[in-house]
Amino acid sequence: MKRNPYEMKGSAHGKTLKVGQRLTTERVGFAIQKGNASLTGAVNAQMKKMTEDGTYLKLSQKYFGRDVRCK
């Protein structure tokens, strides 16, 4: 049975909890404290490098079975 992509497995006794509708078209994201420019810059630089050298696509295919990059 295919799971709804807008649901997640919660800790409420192993039940699936509906978390709502998708807010954006991005499929992945990072939570970084507002104002943390050095971490934001480091994450952005690494994501750019991984996108350019193909690592991001390889990891996407390995763990998600498809390309989850934002286009």
Side-chain angles (χ1 to χ4, degrees):
M1 183 173 153
K2 189 174 180 180
R3 283 185 51 222
N4 181 331
Y6 304 113
E7 293 179 345
M8 65 180 212
K9 191 131 179 143
S11 61
H13 307 290
K15 295 182 180 180
T16 300
L17 306 171
K18 184 163 179 141
V19 295
Q21 294 181 321
R22 179 178 285 192
L23 300 175
T24 68
T25 59
E26 286 82 15
R27 297 181 181 132
V28 296
F30 294 93
I32 299 174
Q33 184 176 13
K34 187 175 182 177
N36 192 337
S38 63
L39 181 57
T40 300
V43 168
N44 287 340
Q46 189 61 41
M47 292 300 297
K48 181 178 181 193
K49 179 182 174 190
M50 291 173 63
T51 299
E52 290 172 350
D53 72 11
T55 302
Y56 192 95
L57 179 58
K58 288 177 191 174
L59 291 171
S60 174
Q61 292 291 350
K62 179 178 180 178
Y63 291 103
F64 299 101
R66 60 187 171 85
D67 184 359
V68 297
R69 295 176 295 170
C70 300
K71 296 180 182 180

